Amino acid sequence: MTKRVFFFGGGKAEGDPARRDVLGGKGAGLAEMTGLGLPVPPGFTIAAEVSTAFAHTQRVPDDVRREVEVALGRLEETAGARLGDPAAPLLVSVRSGARASMPGMMDTILNLGMNDAVAAGLAARTRDRRFAFDAYRRFIAMHATVALGVDREPFDQAIEQARARTAAALGVDRSRLNAEELRRRVPDSAIEAGELERLTATYKEIVRRKSGREFPDDPREQLWQAIEAVFRSWNNHRAIVYRRMHEIPDDWGTACNVQAMVFGNLDERSASGVAFTRDPSTGDRHLYGEWLPNAQGEDVVAGTRTPLPIRSAAAAKGASDDSLQARMPEAYRELERVATTLERHFRDMQDLEFTIQSGNLFMLQCRSAKRTAHAAVRVAVAMVNEGLITRDEAILRVDPGSVDQLLHPTLDPRAPKRLLARGLPASPGAACGYIVFDADEAEKRSQHGKPVILVRIETSPEDIHGVKAARGILTARGGMTSHAAVVARGMGKPCVAGASALAVNYQAQSVTVTVYDDSGRPAETVTLKKGDVITLDGGTGGIYAGEVPTVSAALSGEFGELVAWADGLRSLKVRANADTPIDARTARAFGAEGVGLCRTEHMFFDEKRIEAMREMILADDTAGRQAALDKLLPFQRTDFVGIFREMSGLPVTIRLLDPPLHEFLPTEARQLEQLSKIMGVPLERIAQRTKELHEFNPMLGHRGCRLAITYPEIYAMQSRAIFEAAIELQKEGVDVHAEIMIPLAISRAELERTRAIVEAAAKDVFERSGASAAYTFGTMIELPRAALLAGELAQVAEFFSFGTNDLTQATMGLSRDDAGKFLPVYVQTGILPKDPFVSIDRPGVGALVELGAERGRRERANLKVGVCGEHGGDPDSIRFFHDVGLDYVSCSPFRVPAARLAAAQAVLLARGRAVDKKRD
Ligand code: PEP
Ligand code: MG
């Protein structure tokens, strides 16, 4: 029989920590720490596969139940306490824990095993009635909401009433205090034992009223309800959303951990906290985290009390030093020791949960820490320098999908800004947008294309869709490890958390803040409403009024170093898609090894040029078209001069005109009238021409090289501009490598004709100027026929560039413009693993790429083959392009460093596969 319940305790763990698929991340961490001899309260883990079985039958199988009973017996023995025994009560936590970390997405129940008799017993044993009933009332509320499906609100109301009575007893005048201020004046810890005991009765009454059943007194019944609730939470809404976002398979399921409780709320020498072995925002090498004295773990992460810093140096300037280091130095040192042991053992930065019970440290969790891209890069490089990992490992440690945030703009330091307040710098980057106060609204507005900033008192896992939709997150409460901070960091979204100067009013849909002057005196009170614009700086915690301009970052420091290591490994070259000299310069600064795609049509949308373009389109004959093209030629030449200059010494692939001509004509009646006036062409003529150009399927219509088959003068002008630019620059000593590329070809004949146009232009320019310029002629492969006939095309083309955007559209029959309406459902339901316009569809489109490259090269051995569709910047697709032996990928300038990293990872992963194969 397969074992499905794994005990840990007394320095030994039954489960194999390497089997995260069985134990889940939390269970694996607990097993590992137990094995390392670290202080971990004993417990047992129920395997994740049980959750999958539960999802089908809504029952825990009988044999698993029996295993749980056996493990519980061992736990009772190890802990010297028994579930439900008032004389020596065992209380347990019941926690979820999937293979991949899903912070806060699933359920947890603490203090399980409580009933009236146990509470009385615990009170007698600890000589602390307050503690016993505090634990009891917490348990009832948690168990009721998580396992019995009762709403949280009536419990919150009941405790607020208890607080009000306590305030009255303490003589606190409540009339001038809002709820938040009252909570500060009369914290939970001020509520007396008697009041808490009454609260447990009230809570049970709430359960009776709301659920129609009694709160279970039997700890065994509680335990099974809790285990089932944990398994059920795998399929709650927020967990499902999180899984979709992070591509976590539904069938992984969650393990369930049952563990003896230790109490961070036992006395003043008790505490709970979370810590990172290094700073998760910056990667700095020191303990980083938050704690709360006399509290249970949930209090720290829930954001309901603002936690204190762990390290002394992080304590607020001027304020008393409330750090763990200052208040409990011994426990702090012990935590440092544990952190070092774990980092050495895992050779990676860890995220820890701990509880201190009467001065003794207990570890409740360790896992590989989520970190910002900035920290990921710095930690990877630092660990190489510390001798913990190799360079290759460092390259594999950094997710290329996340590093483009390092190159994202930050606030322009010179721009005038109006600082409203500061919060915690919870996740770096600058974000600007319209204020919204609710997650649904954030989602709705961003779907309409509006950038929004989600402003909340605190976020909860229910807000995840809003966090995802927003450009940035701002919370008034909670620390660096609050839900908002953790989730935003995971998504690479700017977040400012715990900005306590903000008074958020959901009802009024407004946020009020007192702004202080330089001397620290309150200067004014500002109220911002829904729809007002603010800017966040997640790197400093700054909150600014209005829109603040941003500047782009440079590729330097550790990131530059890591990418340089990557360059030493990769074989795939990385180019950039750049249509302007500025793009080309940015791309080169980020390490692009050429331009893989210059879309020339973008050059025609400029106000001055579009007129000539329209003139060309409206011309009745070749002479008219030629006259208009003559006007465009100098513009084109200037563009090419700029780009060639920036890319001196490197190849520049220029794609000749591609889009259907109607894209250059206006569509609205008013604009048509204006055009008629400007151009002196009768409105009817324009209307007629527009009608002529109308196509039902423009993407499959008169575009690409088909334009040049009917209007050869267009490509002739573009070629001329390229050659004139090249010759002009060569005179200045610029090293030009022009590659002329034909879009949307499907036949050799098209390439022969277009090549003839290009060659004629070259000959003419060379003869007139008495100089010449080397160039190559190639084609995009954007249609399945082109891939299939690649051999023939390679007879004319000297290079191929796969236009995987069009190739995906045409191969899968998915419109690039319209598929967004239904494609997400295909991905959500698992029909397609990913959006095929983002990540290459390996079995379909990918197969055509492989086949096209192979057939092309068979015809022309030195055929250069690249990719310039969006997939050229997608790490997963890059791995595929490496595996099928392409020469280069081309992507947007900001993605170049990530592509360099992904290309190196592709080499390492391929090596890893080769080693595995040998082993098999
Ligand atoms: C492509 O189709 O992949 C491509 C790069 O061209 P465009 O996106 O301009 O159609
Ligand atoms: Mg295309």
Side-chain angles (χ1 to χ4, degrees):
M1 196 184 66
T2 352
K3 189 169 172 59
R4 275 164 300 183
V5 179
F6 301 88
F7 184 77
F8 55 87
K12 284 210 183 76
E14 285 182 342
D16 174 0
R19 296 295 305 271
R20 294 168 68 89
D21 55 331
V22 176
L23 301 179
K26 193 185 297 263
L30 289 168
E32 191 102 58
M33 288 195 290
T34 305
L36 286 170
L38 298 177
V40 177
F44 56 87
T45 303
I46 309 173
E49 64 176 275
V50 180
S51 131
T52 314
F54 180 84
H56 292 303
T57 60
Q58 297 300 305
R59 277 203 85 247
V60 176
D62 287 341
D63 49 346
V64 176
R65 285 181 164 255
R66 282 192 292 273
E67 276 194 75
V68 167
E69 289 296 341
V70 173
L72 182 62
R74 273 181 84 179
L75 173 55
E76 290 180 330
E77 208 172 292
T78 313
R82 289 201 8 233
L83 202 61
D85 178 355
L90 170 71
L91 298 186
V92 294
S93 62
V94 182
R95 296 171 188 258
S96 55
R99 198 184 309 185
S101 146
M102 296 171 58
M105 296 301 135
M106 290 177 297
D107 288 329
T108 280
I109 295 178
L110 303 179
N111 306 336
L112 187 140
M114 278 285 192
N115 55 29
D116 291 352
V118 169
L122 191 67
R125 225 173 121 91
T126 57
R127 291 202 202 87
D128 190 342
R129 265 177 77 69
R130 194 194 170 280
F131 161 71
F133 283 95
D134 189 40
Y136 192 12
R137 64 97 191 168
R138 284 170 187 264
F139 167 60
I140 299 172
M142 231 175 184
H143 192 78
T145 48
V146 170
L148 309 178
V150 182
D151 251 10
R152 171 100 223 161
E153 206 183 326
F155 299 105
D156 288 344
Q157 275 170 4
I159 193 162
E160 289 316 315
Q161 282 159 9
R163 195 185 314 281
R165 284 192 296 272
T166 306
L170 295 172
V172 173
D173 176 9
R174 285 192 297 130
S175 59
R176 293 226 187 88
L177 302 176
N178 64 28
E180 177 72 9
E181 287 159 343
L182 180 63
R183 246 195 304 268
R184 229 173 285 150
R185 291 284 297 279
V186 186
D188 288 1
S189 55
I191 304 174
E192 293 292 348
E195 196 61 75
L196 291 171
E197 187 171 353
R198 267 196 296 283
L199 208 51
T200 58
T202 312
Y203 276 10
K204 285 191 187 172
E205 177 54 35
I206 292 171
V207 173
R208 200 172 299 127
R209 220 176 47 233
K210 296 283 176 186
S211 72
R213 51 182 167 159
E214 290 296 322
F215 188 83
D217 258 346
D218 174 8
R220 278 276 188 304
E221 191 182 345
Q222 296 168 359
L223 180 65
W224 286 112
Q225 284 177 349
I227 291 172
E228 290 185 359
V230 162
F231 287 149
R232 221 175 290 123
S233 70
W234 175 253
N235 281 320
N236 69 31
H237 177 65
R238 57 182 199 256
I240 291 171
V241 172
Y242 191 90
R243 287 206 291 276
R244 297 272 172 277
M245 273 170 55
H246 295 268
E247 293 168 16
I248 298 172
D250 288 337
D251 61 4
W252 278 5
T254 177
C256 177
N257 300 286
V258 178
Q259 191 178 19
M261 285 292 302
V262 278
F263 296 97
N265 57 340
L266 185 58
D267 51 36
E268 285 309 315
R269 292 175 55 236
S270 299
S272 279
V274 289
F276 293 86
T277 51
R278 305 188 189 213
D279 185 324
S281 285
T282 63
D284 283 344
R285 193 183 178 187
H286 52 65
L287 267 190
Y288 181 92
E290 287 160 342
W291 74 297
L292 277 173
N294 206 344
Q296 287 204 319
E298 303 310 289
D299 301 337
V300 183
V301 282
T304 41
R305 279 165 73 184
T306 297
L308 307 168
I310 287 210
R311 263 175 83 238
S312 232
K317 282 195 188 70
S320 64
D321 187 347
D322 280 332
S323 67
L324 181 71
Q325 192 175 13
R327 299 258 300 264
M328 297 186 185
E330 260 171 52
Y332 179 85
R333 272 196 296 279
E334 176 70 1
L335 185 63
E336 268 189 331
R337 200 182 57 76
V338 168
T340 311
T341 308
L342 287 173
E343 264 211 354
R344 290 226 178 99
H345 178 74
F346 288 108
R347 299 158 66 241
D348 194 9
M349 171 181 162
Q350 298 294 299
D351 165 352
L352 314 172
E353 264 179 39
F354 65 90
T355 282
I356 299 166
Q357 179 175 298
S358 302
N360 296 313
L361 177 75
F362 291 95
M363 300 310 297
L364 300 184
Q365 176 164 310
C366 72
R367 60 185 172 197
S368 162
K370 284 204 188 310
R371 58 206 91 169
T372 61
H374 178 59
V377 169
R378 291 196 63 211
V379 169
V381 173
M383 284 191 167
V384 171
N385 295 334
E386 290 160 27
L388 274 181
I389 59 174
T390 63
R391 283 185 180 186
D392 289 0
E393 282 173 309
I395 286 168
L396 286 170
R397 284 278 169 93
V398 177
D399 170 15
S402 72
V403 290
D404 61 347
Q405 33 169 305
L406 297 181
L407 305 168
H408 278 172
T410 48
L411 293 187
D412 181 351
R414 288 158 311 182
K417 332 176 177 55
R418 184 158 158 250
L419 182 71
L420 296 173
R422 270 192 200 285
L424 300 168
S427 179
C432 172
Y434 299 95
I435 294 176
V436 293
F437 293 97
D438 131 347
D440 291 341
E441 175 113 22
E443 189 173 57
K444 208 166 68 203
R445 289 207 173 206
S446 80
Q447 274 164 0
H448 289 107
K450 284 225 162 179
V452 297
I453 302 285
L454 179 62
V455 181
R456 301 281 301 162
I457 296 175
E458 65 208 341
T459 67
S460 76
E462 269 86 28
D463 296 323
I464 180 123
H465 57 297
V467 175
K468 186 180 168 204
R471 288 275 173 92
I473 319 297
L474 172 60
T475 66
R477 251 195 245 151
M480 293 294 282
T481 47
S482 63
H483 175 263
V486 171
V487 174
R489 272 202 297 275
M491 291 186 199
K493 276 221 168 136
C495 173
V496 175
S500 51
L502 305 184
V504 178
N505 186 334
Y506 291 141
Q507 238 152 21
Q509 293 277 288
S510 69
V511 50
T512 304
V513 54
T514 306
V515 181
Y516 292 84
D517 63 18
D518 289 345
S519 58
R521 270 190 292 269
E524 60 173 325
T525 302
V526 177
T527 297
L528 298 167
K529 290 193 287 304
K530 182 172 95 176
D532 286 346
V533 173
I534 53 168
T535 301
L536 304 180
D537 183 345
T540 63
I543 305 158
Y544 301 91
E547 182 177 351
V548 181
T550 53
V551 288
S552 44
L555 178 59
S556 57
E558 284 96 340
F559 189 27
E561 200 171 343
L562 186 76
V563 174
W565 294 344
D567 287 347
L569 265 178
R570 69 187 163 92
S571 51
L572 205 57
K573 293 229 181 271
V574 177
R575 299 195 192 180
N577 294 355
D579 307 334
T580 63
I582 293 181
D583 280 356
R585 185 180 305 169
T586 310
R588 193 160 195 170
F590 289 153
E593 295 161 296
V595 168
L597 174 64
C598 169
R599 292 176 164 106
T600 49
E601 61 270 17
H602 291 179
M603 298 167 167
F604 296 130
F605 283 104
D606 183 273
E607 233 175 274
K608 284 193 219 114
R609 306 170 184 199
I610 192 124
E611 253 177 52
M613 192 65 188
R614 287 169 174 169
E615 209 178 303
M616 194 267 301
I617 295 167
L618 293 171
D620 291 321
D621 50 23
T622 313
R625 261 194 306 279
Q626 190 59 55
L629 287 166
D630 287 347
K631 288 189 200 167
L632 284 169
L633 185 114
F635 291 126
Q636 280 266 271
R637 193 174 46 226
T638 316
D639 294 326
F640 296 143
V641 163
I643 294 175
F644 286 147
R645 200 194 298 280
E646 294 296 342
M647 283 288 159
S648 180
L650 296 174
V652 176
T653 310
I654 294 171
R655 177 180 76 188
L656 303 185
L657 196 69
D658 180 24
L661 297 181
H662 75 86
E663 282 193 11
F664 297 97
L665 290 182
T667 46
E668 286 178 23
R670 204 165 34 85
Q671 292 171 315
L672 288 170
E673 269 169 41
Q674 225 174 353
L675 181 65
S676 145
K677 262 193 222 137
I678 296 172
M679 305 203 49
V681 177
L683 188 58
E684 303 76 64
R685 168 74 189 117
I686 299 181
Q688 195 207 331
R689 186 73 181 122
T690 312
K691 213 163 152 199
E692 282 164 16
L693 288 172
H694 173 80
E695 289 178 321
F696 284 103
N697 272 322
M699 279 295 194
L700 302 179
H702 193 187
R703 57 170 286 216
C705 61
R706 297 160 197 178
L707 289 171
I709 301 299
T710 47
Y711 306 126
E713 54 279 5
I714 301 178
Y715 280 13
M717 179 281 282
Q718 294 196 290
S719 307
R720 177 177 290 277
I722 293 168
F723 297 127
E724 287 180 359
I727 286 172
E728 182 182 325
L729 286 172
Q730 278 173 6
K731 284 192 202 132
E732 292 176 24
V734 177
D735 184 13
V736 179
H737 293 255
E739 300 180 337
I740 298 179
M741 182 159 77
I742 305 300
L744 220 75
I746 47 170
S747 67
R748 188 176 72 188
E750 285 168 324
L751 293 186
E752 280 166 351
R753 286 198 186 205
T754 44
R755 186 161 188 160
I757 300 170
V758 173
E759 281 176 354
K763 187 163 173 278
D764 189 47
V765 174
F766 296 166
E767 271 173 16
R768 279 172 202 253
S769 63
S772 73
Y775 70 95
T776 53
F777 177 88
T779 184
M780 296 189 73
I781 306 287
E782 298 180 278
L783 294 166
R785 190 176 199 273
L788 293 168
L789 300 191
E792 277 189 28
L793 300 191
Q795 287 166 7
V796 188
E798 293 159 289
F799 66 88
F800 283 176
S801 178
F802 283 91
T804 44
N805 302 334
D806 272 313
L807 191 58
T808 300
Q809 168 169 266
T811 304
M812 302 183 82
L814 289 170
S815 160
R816 283 167 73 173
D817 301 320
D818 305 314
K821 288 185 195 142
F822 59 88
L823 212 46
V825 180
Y826 267 66
V827 178
Q828 272 158 26
T829 52
I831 295 176
L832 289 175
K834 282 181 176 182
D835 180 339
F837 288 107
V838 174
S839 198
I840 195 94
D841 158 51
R842 292 184 183 213
V845 183
L848 281 175
V849 171
E850 188 171 7
L851 174 146
E854 205 254 317
R855 290 190 179 174
R857 282 183 176 143
R858 211 183 303 151
E859 183 63 38
R860 188 188 285 269
N862 63 348
L863 184 81
K864 202 168 3 163
V865 185
V867 165
C868 63
E870 279 305 298
H871 306 88
D874 170 63
D876 199 36
S877 310
I878 291 172
R879 286 174 207 129
F880 173 77
F881 298 138
H882 168 84
D883 292 345
V884 299
L886 299 198
D887 296 307
Y888 70 88
V889 292
S890 187
C891 57
S892 86
F894 283 99
R895 294 172 92 181
V896 166
R900 289 161 66 192
L901 193 58
Q905 290 184 347
V907 174
L908 295 171
L909 294 172
R911 268 188 211 159
R913 278 196 305 273
V915 170
D916 286 349
K917 226 181 200 165
K918 239 187 192 165
R919 247 187 240 140
D920 294 347

